[in-house]
Amino acid sequence: MTERLQISSLPYRDDPLDYFSSLRRHPGAVLLDSGKPAAPSGRYDIISSDPVSVLTVDGQGIIRVDNQVRDSRNPFLVQQELLEGLALEFPESDLPFLGGLIGYWGYDLGRSLEPVGESSSQVVSLPASRIGLYDWALIQDHQQRESWLIATSDRRNQVLDWLRQPTPPTTDFQLLSPFEGELDRDGYAERFAAVQNYIRAGDCYQINLAQRFSARYRGDLWSAYLRLRQATPTPFAGYQAWRTSQGEQAILSLSPERFLHCRADGHVEARPIKGTRPRGSTTEEDARLAGELAVSLKDRAENVMIVDLLRNDLGRVCRPGSVRVPQLCGLESYANVHHLVSIVCGDLATGRRPLDLLSAAFPGGSITGAPKVRAMQIIDELEPSRRSVYCGSLGYVDVRGNMDTSIAIRTAVADAGQIHLWGGGGLVADSDVDAEYTETLDKIRHLMEALSDTKLDME
């Protein structure tokens, strides 16, 4: 007999962390965080734990469901099978998630889809993807100021009992060493020159070149997430942590960038970011920096290249003629940076599903370059180590066809007693090496400072 989900009201709370703090130590606990109340554009928080099943993909592309190896090389097909196996009856609702998949798709999952190469080393041991199948969710709608619990009757009672338990104490977080980059300025400049040679040779038009910074830590990663969230509230944030035989692993993401949003009616939207300036220390300086970005031909060119790439990716699964660009290079301002943001829309073709869209467009073109496959090959050749979760996606796929995913930039990854951050940017023919190197630092300086609790001189 199929069980029916029920939707019941819970007390609304301005801050989603109040609810998640009670559940964060449960197996498979996940938080998709709108950044409210500090991030003005966020709306929904999605919280869950104790998944029905967990799918992982390791660094060699081996897929496991609940530790059982699956005979498939396509993780998106296995995820679709899991989604279709969630035997629940769903009520009519406008809420974005009534059950389904929540987790992350790491950048390195792209190796399962495209002939990328094997030049870079795997420093971070997190799975290339970790996705849970969830049969309940706690959702906060900050626009309507309402909170909802979606669960079967038995699961509802279980979750309410969990929420009544004392909140686990939060302990301190501390860095044991300063952040160190895997590249110094000269090392970055050498790779920058290699990118310019590839562009001049016609191999590519744009390459997103990143560098990794790492530090040793001890203490509570939830405390680290709270610091990062306070320093840079964003509408596509997220937190996941779990334990392995080697210790705790976690993702602490403060992304400002949506990757793909799909509604149950098949409407698709992508919001690529290309073009960045820091916020100014005065109103006048801030306005000047925003104005410079808005008219920068170089930054607009980067953005337009990625828009063209995304139009092609969406065109692989969308109805012919439906792909369009309602916003090109719009200026958006966040707590620490200004960005140029475009919007690319389309409508899924008959028979296509959200996971088909994710597979067709993964990883996002805004963090690879163009053309995508050649850009990924050059990234693998020039970056010393794999990107892990960075530049992948966090998000959900709902059983009714809703999907929302981020680009996992401004994202910290914890593994084996170390915490890692990446900063990168798109390089084109007229890029300046000093400006690009500084931009990689500007994007994550505030995250490093939040974790180290001090101002940093990184020039």
Side-chain angles (χ1 to χ4, degrees):
M1 179 178 171
T2 302
E3 292 188 88
R4 181 174 177 80
L5 286 176
Q6 301 173 1
I7 301 177
S8 53
S9 177
L10 291 177
Y12 173 75
R13 297 180 180 177
D14 287 329
D15 194 330
L17 308 187
D18 293 340
Y19 278 124
F20 186 72
S21 293
S22 300
L23 301 166
R24 66 183 181 90
R25 291 186 179 172
H26 280 244
V30 289
L31 167 65
L32 299 180
D33 181 1
S34 69
K36 285 291 190 176
S41 60
R43 179 173 180 180
Y44 292 108
D45 308 312
I46 300 177
I47 295 167
S48 194
S49 71
D50 300 82
V52 176
S53 292
V54 175
L55 180 149
T56 60
V57 183
D58 69 14
Q60 287 70 50
I62 297 173
I63 303 167
R64 292 178 173 84
V65 177
D66 301 328
N67 294 319
Q68 298 296 313
V69 175
R70 294 294 295 266
D71 185 20
S72 175
R73 301 300 295 179
N74 189 327
F76 295 96
L77 290 179
V78 181
Q79 290 165 24
Q80 185 65 42
E81 292 172 6
L82 280 182
L83 193 61
E84 294 173 354
L86 193 59
L88 295 170
E89 185 180 346
F90 304 96
E92 290 291 326
S93 174
D94 293 330
L95 292 173
F97 184 82
L98 296 187
L101 306 174
I102 308 177
Y104 73 85
W105 297 263
Y107 175 87
D108 292 326
L109 195 63
R111 298 172 189 276
S112 301
L113 305 172
E114 305 290 357
V116 174
E118 297 292 338
S119 299
S120 57
S121 60
Q122 186 175 356
V123 173
V124 181
S125 66
L126 267 70
S129 181
R130 181 181 172 91
I131 304 290
L133 179 67
Y134 293 87
D135 63 352
W136 74 272
L138 193 163
I139 296 180
Q140 295 214 120
D141 181 346
H142 294 289
Q143 180 174 304
Q144 300 296 328
R145 297 183 63 81
E146 295 174 324
S147 297
W148 304 99
L149 178 59
I150 301 99
T152 63
S153 179
D154 288 344
R155 182 67 108 170
R156 177 181 180 276
N157 293 333
Q158 187 178 40
V159 173
L160 291 176
D161 182 60
W162 293 338
L163 293 174
R164 284 190 288 264
Q165 301 301 314
T167 301
T170 301
T171 57
D172 194 24
F173 172 88
Q174 181 182 7
L175 291 186
L176 301 177
S177 66
F179 277 99
E180 292 187 8
E182 62 183 346
L183 297 175
D184 58 16
R185 185 182 286 270
D186 289 342
Y188 180 87
E190 179 182 336
R191 287 158 176 82
F192 177 95
V195 169
Q196 294 300 311
N197 288 336
Y198 278 124
I199 292 173
R200 284 192 291 269
D203 276 51
C204 55
Y205 311 108
Q206 180 180 165
I207 296 293
N208 186 285
L209 184 65
Q211 56 174 324
R212 177 176 56 86
F213 297 83
S214 305
R216 292 183 296 109
Y217 79 92
R218 67 181 175 197
D220 193 341
L221 290 166
W222 179 241
S223 293
Y225 180 76
L226 298 180
R227 288 194 199 177
L228 294 174
R229 190 180 191 270
Q230 183 177 20
T232 178
T234 57
F236 300 104
Y239 179 85
Q240 297 173 249
W242 61 95
R243 290 198 170 274
T244 71
S245 57
Q246 286 76 44
E248 190 169 25
Q249 296 181 323
I251 300 163
L252 303 77
S253 185
L254 285 302
S255 175
E257 182 171 356
R258 169 175 274 161
F259 179 28
L260 296 169
H261 180 235
C262 185
R263 298 194 313 235
D265 64 4
H267 179 73
V268 173
E269 179 184 285
R271 295 178 60 91
I273 290 176
K274 265 297 172 225
T276 304
R277 293 292 187 279
R279 298 299 300 262
S281 57
T282 66
T283 302
E284 292 76 14
E285 183 188 31
D286 195 56
R288 177 181 60 79
L289 290 167
E292 286 179 4
L293 178 61
V295 300
S296 168
L297 295 179
K298 178 251 184 195
D299 289 293
R300 293 179 69 88
E302 285 185 34
N303 198 298
V304 169
M305 287 181 196
I306 300 306
V307 166
D308 284 344
L309 191 157
L310 270 166
R311 289 174 61 201
N312 180 70
D313 283 349
L314 266 61
R316 296 165 66 184
V317 293
C318 284
R319 179 170 48 82
S322 70
V323 178
R324 54 203 183 278
V325 184
Q327 174 178 301
L328 186 64
C329 299
L331 181 70
E332 295 186 6
S333 298
Y334 295 85
N336 296 281
V337 291
H338 301 287
H339 282 309
L340 292 183
V341 183
S342 294
I343 300 176
V344 185
C345 294
D347 298 296
L348 287 182
T350 302
R352 293 292 194 170
R353 300 162 297 193
L355 283 167
D356 297 325
L357 171 68
L358 187 60
S359 176
F362 191 88
S366 67
I367 43 70
T368 59
K372 182 189 287 186
V373 175
R374 185 62 183 127
M376 293 170 67
Q377 292 168 348
I378 292 170
I379 288 168
D380 184 71
E381 173 193 331
L382 296 180
E383 293 183 8
S385 60
R386 293 188 183 184
R387 291 180 169 185
S388 183
V389 180
Y390 172 70
C391 289
S393 296
L394 274 69
Y396 68 82
V397 185
D398 169 71
V399 288
R400 299 160 299 164
N402 293 323
M403 178 177 76
D404 207 358
T405 58
S406 70
I407 295 285
I409 54 176
R410 320 293 196 272
T411 295
V413 173
D415 175 50
Q418 286 194 307
I419 192 160
H420 308 274
L421 285 164
W422 288 258
L427 307 183
V428 292
D430 58 349
S431 292
D432 175 78
V433 62
D434 291 329
E436 295 295 344
Y437 181 80
T438 299
E439 181 177 319
T440 66
L441 303 179
D442 285 340
K443 288 176 176 176
I444 59 171
R445 185 193 308 270
H446 54 289
L447 301 179
M448 293 184 183
E449 290 176 347
L451 293 175
S452 59
D453 203 24
T454 186
K455 290 288 185 181
L456 301 177
D457 181 8
M458 298 169 58
E459 292 301 320

